[in-house]
Amino acid sequence: CWGWAFQSWAPVHWLFDMNAILPLEPDIATPRSRQVRQNGLMCPSQLNVDLAAIDANLALAGKFNPGRAVLLPVKADAYGHGIVPVARHVEAVGSAQWLGVAEVSEAEQLRAGGVGLPVLKFSPCFPDELDRAIAARLTLCVGDSAGITAAQEAAERAGTRHPVHLKVDTGMRRVGAEPAGAVALARQIADSPSLILQGVFTHLPISDTPEGNDYTRDQLARFLATVDAIRDAVGEIPLVHAGNSGAVLGHDLAGTNLIRPGIISYGCRADAVTPWEGLTPVARWTSRISFLKRVPAGETVGYGRTWTAPRDTWIATVPVGYGDGYSRLFSNRGRMLAGGRSCPIAGRVCMDQTMIDLGPGDPKVAVGDEVVLLGRQGGEQITVEELAGLMGTITYELMCLITARVPRIYA
């Protein structure tokens, strides 16, 4: 899938060695998937991203929480969907007013891609990242006195007043200030001439499960009491936020004015049992049949000879594997859709190829025909929740595992 490089020689830089010619990414703001799309080339497998579906999911989150601003998390390459194209889209249509990232480099990528929305880093920066963060207009997260001091020094060096959000740890036990110490930290920020206390926020670790309702309610109560105490000490706080996906759809967020719908924005429930309804699927992962082979009964397929044909059957090879993020855990357990039918995986998922059992009859598909790994084909559907369940994990991880060699195609 490197053909795009040969169509546009000028912007591509090359490394030469004895064995390979490797094109370097010409622009960190333009993922290779977009370059493939722009040149009209197709790779064997691709992740089709429905940007309007993201808008629909954000609108659903807003319907549950009217009057609140929306922050779309785009960390981890927008949960595997493509950070710059997703961010550009939501900015253009206005479906989100903020973005959220985990790394300074993600904010730099957004700015290089022309994205102008305010961006919040969800966790504190290391001191040696602060100059870059401020240059990228990245709103900082702070959670202790040392972090506030370092942010003040960096903003002073930059000659600016820079916004920060104070993170309060109400039960996640990951980062953030203890509620009892939050007022003192807020005063420190207010007394820092180069900092602006723009927001206060917390995170809810079990808002997505019914058995966590009481704990989440207690967290929210502790958080809002802390916010009230901060207001009494330093005055009004522009942004107060706690609502992740589970809280957005399942909890009362009174007292907050910004929501952070993460995985639900990308059309996924946390897992197969999470009671979230009304989401619009965003991603559809497809590949194509590369080879068809008649396999007699009793013969084995794939590495380790773990699958034996129970009868004469047709095997289709699909050029996708764990090198693309299609988990080896799907070996002999998963399925793909071909010709509108569900076809079980035969044998082990390889690094670059996977075999599926089409059955004994003459195949209704041919080399080059579409195969669906995730999404709908005909009356059949494979969901993110189904695949995550087979892996024994959550939908977040499954989407983040789809590798960069799978082009993201946007509609």
Side-chain angles (χ1 to χ4, degrees):
C1 295
W2 297 105
W4 61 268
F6 294 96
Q7 296 188 6
S8 182
W9 176 265
V12 180
H13 307 283
W14 299 89
L15 282 178
F16 290 94
D17 64 24
M18 294 293 291
N19 301 306
I21 302 176
L22 302 176
L24 298 180
E25 196 73 53
D27 180 0
I28 63 169
T30 308
R32 182 170 294 114
S33 58
R34 295 291 287 171
Q35 293 162 358
V36 171
R37 175 64 169 170
Q38 289 164 358
N39 286 281
L41 301 179
M42 300 294 288
C43 286
S45 97
Q46 59 191 52
L47 189 73
N48 299 279
V49 178
D50 184 349
L51 295 171
I54 295 177
D55 300 332
N57 294 324
L58 291 172
L60 178 68
K63 180 180 178 181
F64 277 81
N65 298 271
R68 292 175 176 85
V70 175
L71 181 154
L72 174 64
V74 291
K75 58 183 180 172
D77 199 30
Y79 293 44
H81 294 77
I83 181 171
V84 171
V86 168
R88 284 174 174 164
H89 173 78
V90 298
E91 180 173 35
V93 302
S95 54
Q97 293 74 53
W98 276 77
L99 302 170
V101 299
E103 301 287 345
V104 175
S105 61
E106 292 172 329
E108 291 172 329
Q109 191 175 3
L110 289 168
R111 299 309 184 210
V115 176
L117 286 177
V119 182
L120 171 66
K121 189 175 187 295
F122 291 133
S123 57
C125 288
F126 289 103
D128 59 6
E129 296 178 314
L130 285 167
D131 292 341
R132 290 170 48 214
I134 290 172
R137 308 190 310 282
L138 175 59
T139 300
L140 303 176
C141 163
V142 293
D144 60 17
S145 179
I148 295 168
T149 298
Q152 159 62 28
E153 292 171 351
E156 187 175 8
R157 284 194 302 273
T160 186
R161 295 193 70 212
H162 199 77
V164 300
H165 288 212
L166 176 61
K167 181 71 171 284
V168 179
D169 184 1
T170 57
M172 183 74 179
R173 319 312 288 165
R174 187 168 61 182
V175 298
E178 296 299 312
V183 170
L185 294 176
R187 285 197 179 105
Q188 182 182 351
I189 296 168
D191 292 339
S192 299
S194 298
L195 298 181
I196 302 166
L197 180 57
Q198 186 186 55
V200 179
F201 71 118
T202 195
H203 195 58
L204 308 171
I206 198 168
S207 64
D208 56 353
T209 59
E211 57 268 26
N213 285 348
D214 289 343
Y215 188 84
T216 300
R217 280 193 290 267
D218 289 345
Q219 271 193 281
L220 288 168
R222 286 194 300 275
F223 175 62
L224 294 176
T226 303
V227 170
D228 286 342
I230 291 172
R231 284 197 183 103
D232 290 342
V234 303
E236 193 53 52
I237 305 160
L239 293 171
V240 176
H241 50 109
N244 56 4
S245 286
V248 161
L249 295 185
H251 289 275
D252 181 2
L253 293 173
T256 68
N257 58 8
L258 181 143
I259 56 174
R260 308 188 308 262
I263 194 66
I264 59 172
S265 301
Y266 301 100
C268 305
R269 295 180 290 158
D271 53 44
V273 299
T274 308
W276 297 341
E277 302 298 334
L279 300 175
T280 304
V282 172
R284 185 173 184 266
W285 190 0
T286 64
S287 189
R288 294 181 284 169
I289 292 173
S290 63
F291 207 91
L292 290 170
K293 182 181 291 289
R294 183 76 166 169
V295 174
E299 289 202 2
T300 59
V301 171
Y303 285 119
R305 303 184 67 207
T306 61
W307 188 88
T308 301
R311 69 250 183 285
D312 292 354
T313 194
W314 284 91
I315 296 293
T317 300
V318 183
V320 65
Y322 60 80
D324 304 284
Y326 193 74
S327 177
R328 196 168 181 266
L329 293 171
F330 300 145
S331 301
N332 294 309
R333 302 171 65 207
R335 64 192 182 106
M336 298 182 185
L337 307 180
R341 296 173 53 245
S342 177
C343 302
I345 291 173
R348 289 181 179 164
V349 173
C350 310
M351 182 182 290
D352 314 298
Q353 300 177 90
T354 300
M355 286 73 76
I356 56 175
D357 181 12
L358 300 178
D362 289 338
K364 307 299 183 185
V365 293
V367 169
D369 283 357
E370 178 191 76
V371 176
V372 172
L373 291 67
L374 168 64
R376 288 188 179 276
Q377 187 187 70
E380 292 280 348
Q381 181 179 18
I382 298 174
T383 66
V384 181
E385 293 80 13
E386 175 185 334
L387 295 178
L390 288 173
M391 293 176 64
T393 189
I394 55 176
T395 56
Y396 308 69
E397 181 181 14
L398 184 135
M399 295 308 303
C400 289
L401 289 175
I402 301 174
T403 66
R405 81 174 182 182
V406 179
R408 276 62 169 171
I409 308 299
Y410 300 94

